[in-house]
Each structure stands twice: as C-alpha cells, then as structure tokens.
Amino acid sequence: MKTTLRRLALASSLAVGAGVLAAPAAHAAGLSCGDTITANTTLTANLGPCPNNGLVIGADNIVLNLNGHTISGTPAPGDGAGVLIPGHTGVKVTNGTVTAFDGGVVIQNGGGNTVTRIVAKGNVGASPGTLYGDGIAIEGSSGNQITQNSALRNGPFSGIGIYQNSDSDHPFTSAPAVDNLVKNNTVQNNVACREGNFCDNDGIRIEPGVSPGNKIYTNKVTGNGLDGISLFGGVNGTNVSGNTVRNNGFNGAVPGDGIRVFGFNNTIASNIVNGNAQDGISVGRRSISPPGSLAPPNGRDNTIKFNTATRNGVHDLYDSNIDPPCDNNRWTNNSFVVAVPASCIS
C-alpha cells in the first residue's frame, strides 16, 4: 500500500451497472492513494492529492463508483493515472471527477470495460518524460464503452485516445484495439502542448494502425488544439457518425481540421463540422516511398457522406488525393460551400 495522503471511508456498492457481474463488497476501513481495489467500491470522500496513481483496479467485473467525489493528482508531472485498469475485463468506472494526473482513466489491455459519467479534466503528462497525456485512454484493449463523459483541458495528446501500438509515451503490451464505442461524450478545450511547444493535441485521437470496428458516435468535440477527431495512418474500419465538431484547430502547431482522416476504409457520416481552423473534413494524401512503388492504403477507400460542413477556415471538404481525383474516396450527399477537388466531392 502506498503512503497515505488522505484516508477516506469505503462502502460497498449496492448498484451494479448492466453487464457487470457482482463482486464481493470491499471490507477495508479506509483507502489510500495508489491502492489496488478488488471489490465493488463506492467513495464517500475525495481522494488525493496522489503522487503515483489514484486507484488501480485489481479484479475483473467490479464497479468503482466515485459517488460524485474527486480523485486528484498533484501539480507535478509523473502522477500516473487517476484510475488505472490494467489487464482486466468487465470493470465499470462511473460518477465522479479525475483530475491533475498524467492520464485520467487509463484502460490498459484487457477489455469489455465501461467508463461513464466521469469528468476527466486537467490531466496533462509532460512529453517526453511521463506516461499517458489523455483524459481517457484505451491502450491495446477491445470492446470498451466510453460514454457520457466530459474530457476537458487534458493533454498533450487527446481528450479521448485509442492506441494499439506501444510507444515511449504510451508503453503497454501492443494488442488489437477493436470494437470500442466512444459515444455521447463532451470533448472540449484539450489544448496542452508537448515540450518545445509542439502542439498536436486532438479532441478524439485514433493512433496509427488501430484495427476495425471502433465507433465514434454523437460526441460534442469543440475547441481542441489541433484536430477535433483524427484518424491516423493505418486506421481502418472506424465509423465516425453523428458528431458535432466545431471550432477546433486554433491552438496547434499548424491550423487543425474538424475531422482528419489518414487511414482507409473508414466511414465519416452525418456529422456537423463547422468553424474549424483549416478544413472541415479532410482526407490526407497517401504517401509513396520510394517514388514509383505501390502506395500503402492510407487516404483511400473512405466513405464520407451526409455531413454538413460550413464556415471552416480554408475548405469545408478537402481530399488531398487530387491526382487521381479522390483516389477511390467516396464523397456523397454532403452539404458544404467550398470543396476541393470539386470533380469528385458532392
């Protein structure tokens, strides 16, 4: 058990979310920063400031109910995660605030977990040098549901991020990240920069190579530093639908887009994308290296339909695959003012 910074009473949870199996109630008299919980847990007071993780989930199929309370880190970087779910399934984290950590709620491997009604705010990791950098992060994990949360002022990577491949900022066991649902969240003002003022903080960030089946539905994504929603190279089979994406891209290293797609076989449908710094919806050019070789499938075979995009800084709709036009991206039934190339966008 880590050094106690603040004690709080612990009560058993009487309500278990749908799809989460009941576990024995916790019996400890108190709880400290960095503790691992293995039973249903309801907080009765705030916890923190915590210098090395807030709480760590240590069992499958348990509920952590913050009960309206706050788990907080310290002003210094290196605090880890507010709630860390390492390699477990069927866990539910709900109903409270996680703030001032390097990452707010971090799902690391495992799968089938739920994060709902959490306010993840002000979780900022220094990069390079600390882990995470997201309000809510899914790392090499599948079948999770991230719903009805608020991700505010986190960074320097994302308000909500999905990662499949381990790297220095998000080290974990690389594994598929498929069939995750990110729905009905408010993702706002995530603008923190990396060291050296390299500002690439996205609202919702799907990192390179993430596998098919992820769904980004009906989120409100506003005021984030670079792109509102960004699908990186190799991301495929992701459905981005029904989101409201406004006023992003004014605090990045370059002007950002509302929805930026570098991957392939993705569907971008029925979104409202207005007032973003650069483009409303853009598809990135596929790279060819060395010249004359077959190109990787980035920036191709995407479907962009029934979106409304207006008042964006440069283009409302933009496909950088100009030669050949749109390169098998299908743009249909969108509402816009300025689109390039006009020959294949409708």
Side-chain angles (χ1 to χ4, degrees):
M1 182 178 293
K2 301 289 190 300
T3 302
T4 301
L5 296 185
R6 184 179 293 179
R7 293 280 180 177
L8 68 161
L10 184 67
S12 62
S13 174
L14 299 179
V16 179
V20 179
L21 300 178
H27 296 292
L31 199 62
S32 299
C33 292
D35 277 357
T36 297
I37 63 171
T38 58
N40 290 345
T41 303
T42 298
L43 303 188
T44 58
N46 297 335
L47 176 65
C50 298
N52 186 13
N53 294 324
L55 293 173
V56 179
I57 303 298
D60 297 343
N61 302 318
I62 65 172
V63 177
L64 172 59
N65 183 355
L66 276 60
N67 195 30
H69 296 295
T70 297
I71 302 176
S72 60
T74 73
D79 291 343
V83 178
L84 178 61
I85 308 173
H88 291 290
T89 62
V91 172
K92 183 177 182 179
V93 180
T94 188
N95 191 27
T97 298
V98 180
T99 186
F101 291 92
D102 298 337
V105 180
V106 178
I107 300 172
Q108 197 171 78
N109 301 122
N113 304 293
T114 299
V115 180
T116 186
R117 294 189 293 132
I118 291 293
V119 177
K121 65 179 182 179
N123 300 287
V124 178
S127 175
T130 61
L131 306 182
Y132 318 128
D134 314 88
I136 300 172
I138 298 172
E139 299 181 338
S141 183
S142 298
N144 302 286
Q145 296 193 22
I146 311 300
T147 64
Q148 297 181 288
N149 304 286
S150 294
L152 315 172
R153 305 188 304 280
N154 304 285
F157 298 110
S158 77
I160 300 174
I162 302 178
Y163 302 86
Q164 182 162 303
N165 299 309
S166 177
D167 59 30
S168 59
D169 296 302
H170 296 83
F172 58 95
T173 301
S174 295
V178 304
D179 297 326
N180 295 292
L181 175 66
V182 179
K183 182 177 180 180
N184 291 345
N185 302 284
T186 297
V187 185
Q188 184 173 359
N189 295 338
N190 298 282
V191 297
C193 299
R194 301 198 213 188
E195 291 182 7
N197 293 323
F198 186 78
C199 299
D200 63 343
N201 200 337
D202 300 316
I204 298 176
R205 182 185 187 102
I206 316 299
E207 278 264 341
V210 166
S211 300
N214 293 292
K215 299 176 179 64
I216 314 300
Y217 288 170
T218 57
N219 302 282
K220 295 180 179 179
V221 184
T222 60
N224 299 288
L226 191 56
D227 300 329
I229 301 173
S230 187
L231 278 57
F232 280 57
V235 172
N236 68 97
T238 295
N239 191 316
V240 179
S241 294
N243 302 280
T244 300
V245 186
R246 291 183 169 137
N247 301 323
N248 300 282
F250 292 95
N251 294 281
V254 297
D257 300 333
I259 301 175
R260 177 74 164 166
V261 180
F262 293 100
F264 61 99
N265 288 334
N266 301 289
T267 298
I268 314 298
S270 302
N271 302 283
I272 298 172
V273 189
N274 297 335
N276 299 283
Q278 179 81 7
D279 301 327
I281 302 173
S282 68
V283 176
R285 179 182 292 277
R286 57 189 174 96
S287 60
I288 301 177
S289 179
S293 65
L294 292 176
N298 289 326
R300 302 176 67 183
D301 302 309
N302 298 288
T303 298
I304 306 98
K305 61 183 180 179
F306 299 111
N307 301 283
T308 298
T310 60
R311 302 189 304 279
N312 296 287
V314 179
H315 310 99
D316 295 317
L317 305 175
Y318 179 65
D319 194 321
S320 62
N321 296 292
I322 295 173
D323 185 17
C326 292
D327 205 7
N328 208 39
N329 293 307
R330 297 168 295 278
W331 299 79
T332 60
N333 296 299
N334 299 287
S335 297
F336 58 91
V337 176
V338 180
V340 172
S343 61
C344 57
I345 294 178
S346 66

